[in-house]
């Protein structure tokens, strides 16, 4: 895929987006927790912060990642949604490439459904290996995204062992290195990009371990959706159509509805 690729430094790429947004007048409040969604006259009125202060706003968008269900509960919209989100623990392994293999320069992104893993080259001549959530593996659901076990489990060992069935001389290291974090997983592993039953409250949630590089398109799409709804159109009955300028086709945003039936065509995995 000549026009594809991967982002090996998500922190830097996110920082770049932040700087671009600031240049357009966006303000950021770091280390600031939203503890309530304000309501007035039957619609969103803003947010309440942990220090007791309030920010008034006619529109609030839930982009809380693995905490999305918490924010939806604060808004009082979760109960009525057909598709819900919840956090799932994920482990990503970084393991050294076998000696003599320059995987950092010569390697590929691999998706290998038969062993239930994906991998790509990582800096330091490493393999980065993640799970494609094969049915035989346990799902590591997490109740409290602020308090869960950050240690690696058998998921790590199993993924590396499976990759080693494909790559001669790849070994399971004694000391585990990589990432433990949470997916914001939806019931059918497809995101929810939608309005809610509370006017003025929107959500871009349930990214289910993918969607990182879709973010710029999703931002544009959400802006269009919000504009559409705030002008009084009924997105539930007559869904917003978003024009994809590069592929030159309309996307029916109703596909991502919170009230869709579970999409049985989904892979029910990070593949989406
Ligand atoms: C291990 C792992 C591997 C992944 N690999 C890939 C990949 O290869 N490709 C890909 O495309 N995607 C990948 N993803 C998914 C990708 O990271 C997410 O889709 C993306 O980060 C979602 O962005 P977001 O801004 O919606 O949410 P997040 O990045 O989760 O950000 C949510 C933010 O909201 C904040 N927040 C939560 N609650 C509150 C509150 N009450 N008050 C204030 N702030 C709050 C959080 O602190 C956080 O900063 C991966 C995810 C994981 C966990």
């Amino acid at each position: 895929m000549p026009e594809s690729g991967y982002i090996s430094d998500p922190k830097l790429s996110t920082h770049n987006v932040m700087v671009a947004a600031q240049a357009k007048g966006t303000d950021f409040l770091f280390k600031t927790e939203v503890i309530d969604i304000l309501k007035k006259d039957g619609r969103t009125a803003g947010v309440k912060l942990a220090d007791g202060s309030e920010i008034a706003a006619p529109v609030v968008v839930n982009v809380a990642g693995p905490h999305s269900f918490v924010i939806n509960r604060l808004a009082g919209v979760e109960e009525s949604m057909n598709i819900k989100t919840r956090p799932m623990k994920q482990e990503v392994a970084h393991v050294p490439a076998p000696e003599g293999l320059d995987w950092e320069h010569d390697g590929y992104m691999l998706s290998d459904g038969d062993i239930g893993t994906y991998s790509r080259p990582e800096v330091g001549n490493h393999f980065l290996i993640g799970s494609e959530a094969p049915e035989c593996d346990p799902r590591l659901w997490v109740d409290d995204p602020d308090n869960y076990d950050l240690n690696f489990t058998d998921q790590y060992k199993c993924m590396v062992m499976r990759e080693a069935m494909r790559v001669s001389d790849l070994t399971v290291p004694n000391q585990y290195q990589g990432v433990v974090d949470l997916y914001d997983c939806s019931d059918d592993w497809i995101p929810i990009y939608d309005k809610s039953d509370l006017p003025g409250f929107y959500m871009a949630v349930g990214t289910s371990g993918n969607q990182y590089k879709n973010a710029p398109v999703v931002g544009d799409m959400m802006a269009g959706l919000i504009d559409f709804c705030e002008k009084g159109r009924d997105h539930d009955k007559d869904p917003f159509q978003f024009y994809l300028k590069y592929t030159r086709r309309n996307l029916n945003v109703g596909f991502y509805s919170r009230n869709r039936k579970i999409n049985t065509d989904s892979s029910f995995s990070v593949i989406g």
Side-chain angles (χ1 to χ4, degrees):
M1 295 183 287
E3 290 182 31
S4 186
Y6 56 85
I7 296 163
S8 67
D9 190 341
K11 192 173 178 183
L12 176 61
S13 91
T14 308
H15 179 85
N16 289 342
V17 174
M18 180 191 77
V19 173
Q22 283 171 329
K24 295 269 185 193
T26 305
D27 287 331
F28 287 83
L29 293 177
F30 294 110
K31 303 204 182 298
T32 308
E33 189 187 354
V34 170
I35 57 161
D36 205 4
I37 304 298
L38 304 175
K39 293 157 213 144
K40 199 177 166 195
D41 301 330
R43 63 170 288 134
T44 316
V47 294
K48 184 173 183 181
L49 306 179
D51 67 2
S53 63
E54 294 181 353
I55 300 175
V59 166
V60 172
V61 187
N62 179 357
V63 285
H67 291 78
S68 65
F69 76 103
V70 178
I71 301 294
N72 279 344
R73 281 178 194 173
L74 293 178
V77 300
E78 194 203 34
E79 193 87 333
S80 64
M81 291 162 53
N82 197 41
I83 303 287
K84 300 200 184 359
T85 55
R86 55 179 171 149
M88 182 194 271
K89 178 177 165 178
Q90 285 295 323
E91 298 165 34
V92 176
H94 292 194
V95 296
E99 231 179 281
L101 186 63
D102 188 357
W103 195 242
E104 192 171 342
H105 295 106
D106 301 333
Y108 294 91
M109 290 160 63
L110 306 172
S111 171
D112 193 337
D114 289 346
I115 53 167
T117 68
Y118 66 84
S119 77
R120 67 160 172 81
E122 176 57 274
V123 290
N125 201 26
H126 275 54
F127 275 72
L128 177 150
I129 306 166
S131 172
E132 290 188 358
E135 269 175 40
C136 54
D137 285 3
R139 302 277 195 257
L140 306 177
W141 296 112
V142 164
D143 292 327
D144 180 357
D146 291 314
N147 182 20
Y148 66 99
D149 178 15
L150 288 166
N151 290 305
F152 292 113
T153 66
D154 284 349
Q155 190 180 80
Y156 186 106
K157 198 184 206 170
C158 219
M159 291 188 311
V160 182
M161 186 210 66
R162 287 168 181 162
E163 192 77 7
M165 295 194 296
R166 299 288 196 239
V167 183
S168 313
D169 299 329
L170 192 78
T171 52
V172 184
N174 286 327
Q175 195 155 8
Y176 292 177
Q177 197 186 339
V179 173
V180 175
D181 217 308
L182 299 172
Y183 286 171
D184 178 31
C185 206
S186 79
D187 292 338
D188 58 8
W189 294 73
I190 290 170
I192 305 173
Y193 297 133
D194 201 4
K195 64 190 276 257
S196 72
D197 286 358
L198 176 67
F201 184 81
Y202 298 82
M203 58 189 102
V205 303
T207 49
S208 306
N210 54 64
Q211 301 294 310
Y212 186 84
K213 287 186 289 185
N214 288 356
V217 182
V218 170
D220 203 8
M221 185 173 86
M222 289 302 294
L225 171 69
I226 292 165
D227 191 49
F228 181 85
C229 295
E230 293 301 309
K231 282 180 176 149
R233 302 282 294 271
D234 187 344
H235 174 62
D236 285 338
K237 289 206 176 101
D238 168 28
F240 171 58
Q241 308 291 308
F242 178 65
Y243 182 66
L244 297 161
K245 61 185 174 190
Y246 296 114
T247 48
R248 295 194 294 277
R249 54 188 290 185
N250 271 337
L251 177 66
N252 176 5
V253 182
F255 178 84
Y256 300 104
S257 167
R258 70 203 180 286
N259 289 331
R260 64 180 179 253
K261 288 201 183 92
I262 286 197
N263 188 331
T264 50
D265 287 336
S266 169
S267 67
F268 291 92
S269 79
V270 68
I271 306 297

